[in-house]
Amino acid sequence: MIRFALGRLVSLTASLIVASIVIFAVVEVIPGDPAAFMLGVNARPDTIAALRAEMGLDEPLIARYAAWVSGMVQGDFGMSWTYKTPVATLIADRIWVSLPLAIYALALSTLVAFPAGIYAASRRGGAGDTAIMGATQLGVAIPNFWFAMILVLVFAINLRWFSAGGFPGWADPWAAIKALTLPAIALALPQAAILARVMRSSLLDMLGEDFMRTARAKGLTCRQALWRHALRNALIPVLTIIGLQFSFLLAGAIIIEQVFFLPGLGRLIFQAISARDLIVVESVVMLLVFTVIMVNFIVDLTYAAVDPRLRARA
Amino acid sequence: MSLLSLKNLSVQIGGTPVLQGINLDMAQGQITAITGESGSGKSMTALAIMGLLPQGAKQQGQILLDGTDIVQTPEPALCRMRGNAMGMVFQEPMTALNPVQTIGAQVAETIRVHENVTKAEAHARAAAMLDRVGLKVAPTRYPHELSGGQRQRVVIAMAIAMRPKLLIADEPTTALDVTTQARILDLLQGLVDEFGMGLLLITHDLAVVADVADRIAVMQHGRIVEHGPTSDLLRTMRHPYTRALFAASTHAVDLPAVQNDAPLLAVRHVMRDYPTKRLSLFGSRPTFRALDDVSLTINRGERVGLVGESGCGKSTLTRAILGLEPVQGGQITLDGAPVSQGDHALRRKMQVVFQDPYGSFNPRHHVDRLITEPFHLLDNPPKGAARDQAIAKALADVGLPSDAADKYIHEFSGGQRQRLAIARALIVEPDLIIFDEAVSALDVSVRAQVLDLIADICRKRPLAYLFISHDLSVVRSITDRVLVMQGGKIVESGLTESVFADPQHPYTKSLIAAAPQLPELAHAADAL
């Protein structure tokens, strides 16, 4: 198990290095000189050159890459050109919105999807199965920004249970959780629908396995066999989806953040791209890549915990 | 009173009768065998007794286990009986165990489901049971760390952990090697004696039946056509189906004599190493030697058998001969040219027929396209009428009608599919065919027909083949010469008859001794 984890760590580090090179290179080749952009169309060439020197853009690529990476390792992400504040501070402010939101949404989706998928699988072909599969079909089909607006209309404007948007900060945790509830539900809906479908089909695959017949021959009831033998075996594909969903929820919540006026990472990166604030773009993208790779690492470890065959194969 | 008594048992699935009027009695301490070909209802009988028939099955009649009618017993009570009063062992030890639980936990579960014991006590009893079935590994191991034979021992331990009165074993040794099969059959016999339970042994292998069973029931099309004490039944064989089944099992084909002795395939000192798991993170990978200095020759028109247990290197050798894998030493030449070059002209001379007749065909293509696949090896493949003619000839050669060309593979039975696989191999008129367990998945009567077909083809044109099989009796009847492989080495080779009659190497001796034999009286029945 420890060797397995070490092996994964090595490949994780390699992925991070490759990702940092790609991100740096891509941002560098994107057309549009940030200095020219910041100074506007009427700027004189020598002013632009001066700003370029001030921003360090005239140094060789390798030196800038090295400076960027070594800064990041020490927690120094550089200074935002448009906000004039350290990127680290910008990210720190926003990650306290995005990360809890992603975890909240993932928890909701898992809490709904697991029972729904298990129930549907155990009643295959029955009314409960048909109803749940119909609901998930709908959940996958409904765009989440539209669903978000319906939530606002019903729960914020009509019922007045929640506020329609904005984020009060974590000074009052209850208010913060309340502000994140509607966005989390909007984000969780399609995820839960997908997860429930995966859970169901994965379980159904397992129910046809030989070892399930063996379990029944031992004297286990259908339900006992499902819980003790099928569930753990069915988890591998489900964990894969959960890992992918978390990464998506962290970075892909941008539309929902817009709908609810949440100061999250999605909005930050969107604004930074519009303003050619390359240092912010690079840092946030790198941070997201780091998170995705870490999540995959954790998912890999969970695989190994669930399935002894994967431990051996490392 | 008998332990198990089936009275006029009938089962229908979706309106189709699968079992019709089954009557069977078995006593404690006895081994009763049910035999018959696939689809005869053997396994369905076992599932009916376990109360595990598929959903939607309708049953009539009685299944009395110690006086309790299983047909009438409600599901919760059945759950209490399964694993407790009756246990079951399945065919596929590789998939019958839960891959994510330790073997000890899985055996202990049988005990914990039925008895209110502590976890520690259940595990202690499970360990004792694993020891009783002769398993020499720790109960904390996982199924994937065990061999097929070891896994089957775990499944048996699970089935007998509560010392049931009735043990049902559905093809318990079919997936195992002959020596492992002999040990598992020994174990089952020992358990019957020790625990005094009744064993219902379901197998298609008549030789196994004849060796171990006290009584035999022969099934065909969902009915028991004949049953009685083993020796009586084998002596009289009243029902024609019983006679046909035994005749097919002992079927000897009539091979024409080899006409030519020019060498065709030459394997010289071949080594094949596989990299295995790294021992340290950055160290070099150790290797496993799958083929160790293997040399063999097959002459033109010569029929050579290759036998050995799973993992001995048979499949590796096949792939190496086909040029599908690089070798780390030695050379393989076909007609003087190295197979590793793999040009089309060379590949045309060598074709292969695999075990799984279904898996080796693309289900979305018509048969004409499937069997003409090797045409791409020809410089000028026949087109139009010539192609149709070639297809018709290939189909006729394997005894199939020419209208088979427009069908899909799922429309054929297992035996017909294997005929198509042979047609596909023959269509480019190769010099050498490799039969890789080509008849292992077939029922005995179909197997006899396919073996006859192969002999028939040999009479029409000189054909050399390498016949790989774990079934010694088949190899004995269909080859001129035999090679015995163990641990990546060829340990014995010689004329088939002399190797079987007078094996020299201890491994060959053990293989032949382990193979179950039909008694001579069955041979005598052939003549009837």
Side-chain angles (χ1 to χ4, degrees):
Chain A
M1 187 70 191
I2 289 173
R3 257 212 11 238
F4 175 80
L6 280 177
R8 301 305 307 162
L9 263 178
V10 170
S11 73
L12 176 154
T13 316
S15 311
L16 279 179
I17 292 170
V18 172
S20 71
I21 294 172
V22 171
I23 290 167
F24 185 77
V26 167
V27 171
E28 286 302 321
V29 298
I30 286 176
D33 179 357
F37 186 85
M38 284 165 73
L39 292 172
V41 280
N42 296 324
R44 288 183 8 229
D46 56 331
T47 327
I48 294 175
L51 184 61
R52 281 179 62 88
E54 190 194 317
M55 291 163 75
L57 289 176
D58 55 350
E59 281 179 48
L61 272 180
I62 305 279
R64 277 161 51 211
Y65 174 74
W68 178 56
V69 170
S70 66
M72 267 192 311
V73 171
Q74 296 158 35
D76 173 13
F77 291 78
M79 191 70 95
S80 162
W81 301 326
T82 49
Y83 291 88
K84 306 288 182 207
T85 41
V87 178
T89 320
L90 286 174
I91 291 176
D93 287 347
R94 280 150 182 88
I95 202 147
W96 284 111
V97 177
S98 286
L99 194 62
L101 180 61
I103 293 172
Y104 195 175
L106 194 72
L108 281 180
S109 105
T110 312
L111 280 178
V112 173
F114 270 52
I118 294 169
Y119 181 83
S122 63
R123 302 275 191 290
R124 172 167 40 167
D129 183 23
T130 314
I132 287 177
M133 282 304 100
T136 59
Q137 195 78 267
L138 212 61
V140 175
I142 292 176
N144 62 4
F145 61 87
W146 181 83
F147 184 60
M149 290 189 290
I150 297 298
L151 286 177
V152 170
L153 202 65
V154 174
F155 294 100
I157 297 175
N158 287 338
L159 295 173
R160 297 188 175 278
W161 291 355
F162 299 95
S163 66
F167 185 70
W170 284 98
D172 176 2
W174 176 238
I177 289 174
K178 224 177 137 184
L180 290 181
T181 299
L182 288 186
I185 293 174
L187 280 171
L189 174 82
Q191 312 292 350
I194 294 167
L195 203 58
R197 293 182 82 89
V198 173
M199 184 83 221
R200 173 182 177 272
S201 67
S202 178
L203 259 181
L204 286 182
D205 283 349
M206 286 306 142
L207 294 184
E209 289 286 332
D210 283 354
F211 62 78
M212 292 300 288
R213 194 183 49 186
T214 313
R216 298 277 286 133
K218 273 186 203 177
L220 269 67
T221 62
C222 275
R223 183 177 300 252
Q224 284 173 324
L226 182 117
W227 282 96
R228 295 191 197 172
H229 292 279
L231 200 55
R232 194 163 151 195
N233 279 288
L235 275 183
I236 292 280
V238 175
L239 284 173
T240 311
I241 300 292
I242 290 181
L244 291 173
Q245 289 190 341
F246 185 75
S247 314
F248 169 79
L249 287 172
L250 195 63
I254 176 162
I255 295 176
I256 295 298
E257 285 177 7
Q258 290 288 0
V259 172
F260 289 96
F261 300 107
L262 294 176
L265 283 177
R267 282 181 86 192
L268 176 67
I269 198 167
F270 179 70
Q271 287 161 354
I273 291 172
S274 319
R276 296 290 190 282
D277 199 342
L278 295 193
I279 194 89
V280 174
V281 176
E282 278 175 351
S283 304
V284 177
V285 171
M286 192 61 216
L287 182 80
L288 291 175
V289 167
F290 177 76
T291 320
V292 170
I293 290 176
M294 282 311 288
V295 168
N296 282 340
F297 174 64
I298 293 166
V299 169
D300 278 349
L301 291 188
T302 332
Y303 283 166
V306 167
D307 193 334
R309 287 168 297 182
L310 296 172
R311 267 170 257 169
R313 208 177 297 161
Chain B
M1 194 179 77
S2 54
L3 168 69
L4 176 74
S5 170
L6 308 189
K7 293 201 162 107
N8 209 16
L9 175 71
S10 296
V11 173
Q12 290 192 333
I13 296 177
T16 315
V18 289
L19 294 180
Q20 301 180 56
I22 303 284
N23 285 296
L24 186 74
D25 279 286
M26 61 181 287
Q28 257 181 330
Q30 254 194 6
I31 301 181
T32 302
I34 298 184
T35 188
E37 298 191 290
S38 8
S40 63
K42 305 184 302 275
S43 295
M44 212 45 85
T45 309
L47 292 175
I49 298 169
M50 290 298 287
L52 283 175
L53 283 173
Q55 275 191 344
K58 289 199 181 74
Q59 33 181 351
Q60 285 145 13
Q62 285 185 310
I63 304 172
L64 298 172
L65 176 67
D66 240 6
T68 312
D69 186 1
I70 287 167
V71 175
Q72 302 299 334
T73 309
E75 177 62 25
L78 275 179
C79 281
R80 285 192 292 276
M81 289 175 74
R82 287 185 206 120
N84 197 0
M86 54 204 181
M88 185 156 176
V89 176
F90 300 94
Q91 172 170 1
E92 263 308 325
M94 303 315 267
T95 53
L97 292 168
N98 185 344
V100 304
Q101 280 183 8
T102 62
I103 55 172
Q106 296 190 53
V107 176
E109 190 180 28
T110 309
I111 301 167
R112 296 179 68 194
V113 166
H114 295 289
E115 272 183 51
N116 193 10
V117 293
T118 63
K119 195 174 173 182
E121 193 189 334
H123 277 259
R125 276 168 62 184
M129 199 47 86
L130 285 170
D131 193 46
R132 170 61 193 89
V133 298
L135 195 71
K136 304 272 188 298
V137 302
T140 49
R141 300 284 283 274
Y142 287 96
H144 72 270
E145 301 171 298
L146 273 54
S147 70
Q150 289 174 320
R151 292 188 208 193
Q152 199 60 302
R153 285 177 197 270
V154 177
V155 177
I156 292 172
M158 238 152 68
I160 60 161
M162 295 300 295
R163 303 195 167 221
K165 297 186 199 102
L166 171 68
L167 179 65
I168 303 174
D170 187 358
E171 304 274 4
T173 59
T174 306
L176 304 175
D177 288 320
V178 278
T179 47
T180 317
Q181 162 169 289
R183 283 186 219 117
I184 294 288
L185 289 173
D186 266 357
L187 168 67
L188 287 173
Q189 272 180 307
L191 291 170
V192 167
D193 292 342
E194 186 184 326
F195 294 180
M197 50 182 191
L199 172 63
L200 185 64
L201 181 68
I202 291 168
T203 174
H204 71 284
D205 191 334
L206 295 162
V208 166
V209 172
D211 262 8
V212 302
D214 298 311
R215 297 176 67 86
I216 298 181
V218 181
M219 284 190 81
Q220 183 193 23
H221 304 320
R223 295 174 197 275
I224 292 184
V225 295
E226 184 167 7
H227 75 285
T230 304
S231 54
D232 288 2
L233 188 134
L234 290 181
R235 199 168 49 241
T236 56
M237 290 207 244
R238 273 182 231 102
H239 198 276
Y241 180 68
T242 313
R243 285 199 293 275
L245 212 53
F246 274 82
S249 311
T250 53
H251 186 73
V253 297
D254 183 19
L255 273 185
V258 186
Q259 289 135 8
N260 194 326
D261 58 356
L264 175 64
L265 175 82
V267 176
R268 292 275 161 270
H269 307 293
V270 163
M271 305 277 190
R272 175 71 176 112
D273 294 330
Y274 286 114
T276 57
K277 213 166 88 176
R278 270 176 224 277
L279 296 177
S280 70
L281 205 52
F282 298 104
S284 61
R285 301 182 77 162
T287 55
F288 168 74
R289 179 147 288 181
L291 295 179
D292 189 359
D293 195 16
V294 170
S295 297
L296 64 99
T297 312
I298 297 180
N299 292 333
R300 284 190 176 279
E302 193 183 25
R303 283 82 48 147
V304 178
L306 177 64
V307 297
E309 305 200 321
S310 27
C312 74
K314 297 193 301 271
S315 306
T316 309
L317 181 60
T318 314
R319 287 197 298 270
I321 291 175
L322 289 168
L324 297 176
E325 279 194 20
V327 293
Q328 276 71 44
Q331 203 181 29
I332 303 174
T333 56
L334 183 70
D335 230 3
V339 295
S340 52
Q341 291 174 354
D343 57 68
H344 285 177
L346 189 72
R347 290 202 188 273
R348 185 197 64 77
K349 293 179 188 167
M350 179 162 61
Q351 291 291 310
V352 63
V353 177
F354 292 107
Q355 170 172 3
D356 182 356
Y358 191 61
S360 59
F361 286 111
N362 186 332
R364 288 179 188 80
H365 291 169
H366 282 123
V367 160
D368 62 340
R369 181 162 172 196
L370 291 173
I371 64 171
T372 53
E373 270 171 357
F375 273 177
H376 78 274
L377 299 172
L378 305 179
D379 294 330
N380 284 311
K383 295 205 170 63
R387 179 175 176 272
D388 292 343
Q389 222 174 351
I391 293 167
K393 181 175 181 303
L395 289 174
D397 278 348
V398 296
L400 289 174
S402 56
D403 66 353
D406 300 325
K407 294 183 177 170
Y408 289 104
I409 194 69
H410 69 258
E411 298 173 68
F412 296 90
S413 69
Q416 287 172 326
R417 286 171 192 165
Q418 209 54 302
R419 284 169 189 268
L420 288 172
I422 295 172
R424 172 169 66 181
L426 284 174
I427 203 160
V428 285
E429 303 190 334
D431 300 316
L432 175 71
I433 294 187
I434 295 176
F435 292 102
D436 189 357
E437 299 279 4
V439 297
S440 303
L442 304 176
D443 273 325
V444 279
S445 58
V446 181
R447 184 178 78 192
Q449 290 165 14
V450 172
L451 293 178
D452 277 341
L453 170 69
I454 294 173
D456 200 36
I457 293 164
C458 290
R459 270 190 290 276
K460 286 185 191 152
R461 54 183 295 252
L463 177 70
Y465 57 74
L466 181 65
F467 196 97
I468 299 163
S469 179
H470 68 277
D471 190 330
L472 301 181
S473 67
V474 171
V475 171
R476 187 170 190 171
S477 82
I478 195 86
T479 63
D480 307 309
R481 208 150 56 80
V482 68
L483 310 164
V484 183
M485 211 168 170
Q486 183 196 21
K489 288 185 180 167
I490 289 178
V491 293
E492 183 162 2
S493 69
L495 294 176
T496 304
E497 256 329 296
S498 52
V499 169
F500 276 91
D502 183 21
Q504 298 303 312
H505 194 275
Y507 179 68
T508 317
K509 285 180 187 166
S510 73
L511 271 186
I512 292 174
Q517 292 272 316
L518 276 173
E520 282 305 313
L521 51 101
H523 288 282
D526 268 1
L528 295 175

